[in-house]
Amino acid sequence: MEDTELIVQEATEEAERAEDSRALYEVKMKFLGRAGKVTALLKSMREIAAEARPAFGKKVNALREALEEKFAALEEKLRKEELERKLAGEEVDVTMPGRRHREGALHPVTRVKNRLIDLFSGMGFEVFEGPEIESEYYNFTALNTPADHPARDMQDTFYLTDRILLRTQTSAGQIRVMEKKKPPIKILSPGRVFRSDDDATHSPMFHQMEGLVVDRGITLCDLQGMLDEFARTMFSASSKTRLRPSYFPFTEPSVEVDVSCAACGGKGCPLCKGTGWIEVLGAGMVNRRVLENCGVDPDEYSGFAFGMGIERIAMLKYGINNIKLLTENDVRFLEQFKD
Ligand code: PHE
């Protein structure tokens, strides 16, 4: 019988030492669980003399109830403390400034490329993409530039093998298209090109946009009409174009196309070196020999082609003075282009 007093004392002490509800639960099991001390007392009833049993039973039950109450009270206290601690840890300071999300921006080369595709697809052009690794045939020979032709030196070429190279111009795609498709042809061919060339305005890898139109009765006027539209969309509503005689083996006649300087409106400034004009692309009427090389009859069909450097257009449009800025991908630079 003294045991019960001792058990209450022992259980109370241990329970009060419990630091959290988990530890308290363990103490509770030690006394009230199936293998607990109080449970053992109840089980020992059978060994007690029959007349002593009711008194013993009463005492043990009272002990169990007292302990259960004790544990319940302690448990509530601990759970409350735990909840408070948890809430304190999760407290949100609604006066703190929010996290800033930096807005991304498209790369200027992507912007110009998208604008060009938009513009020319509105005039009925389809996009064709040729391979970056080309054969000498598509990049030069079929474009009327045989091996001993001096124009091969105009473009410093990266050769992979004797006959395989990194294309120096998207013009290679002209041949691939004309070999497969009968006129009328109206394609736009964007892509990377490679030349062993490296300074503030030249990069060994850059992007070009090629255009090719072949049909009956195509003239240089059709070319200039489209280029005027291009200049007005890309630079300013009052932009004009000017054609200057030039030379490319795959066009005849060949022209260099200038756009009136958007910075000074054509009056002359440092950007246009005082001339009022800025050279933006090469173009011309597709050379008869190129048409013949692709099985297109030059007496029935004629065409024009143009090719422009996308980086160059982007630099002129956005006033970027060093081509290297376009490959560094510094977000502080890229973020500036939002329209
Ligand atoms: N392929 C020429 C270049 O890279 C540009 C061009 C394309 C010229 C089409 C005329 C016709 O310089």
Side-chain angles (χ1 to χ4, degrees), residues 123-178:
M123 296 193 248
F125 283 70
E126 277 175 80
V127 172
F128 166 83
E129 286 184 72
E132 290 170 6
I133 295 174
E134 262 298 5
S135 70
E136 191 182 40
Y137 177 77
Y138 286 102
N139 195 80
F140 288 125
T141 317
L143 286 164
N144 195 33
T145 321
D148 55 357
H149 198 290
R152 281 215 186 180
D153 301 337
M154 281 163 69
Q155 300 173 357
D156 272 316
T157 311
F158 290 113
Y159 279 89
L160 302 179
T161 70
D162 274 0
R163 311 215 159 267
I164 308 293
L165 44 81
L166 295 179
R167 68 175 172 197
T168 59
Q169 49 189 356
T170 43
S171 303
Q174 287 186 29
I175 307 299
R176 289 190 176 270
V177 169
M178 284 192 281

Side-chain angles (χ1 to χ4, degrees), residues 154-155 168-171 174 195 206 208 210-211 248 250-251 254-255 281-284 305-308:
M154 281 163 69
Q155 300 173 357
T168 59
Q169 49 189 356
T170 43
S171 303
Q174 287 186 29
R195 291 180 200 179
F206 63 101
Q208 279 189 333
E210 189 89 7
F248 298 104
F250 36 90
T251 45
S254 299
V255 292
L281 58 97
F306 60 83
M308 62 184 92

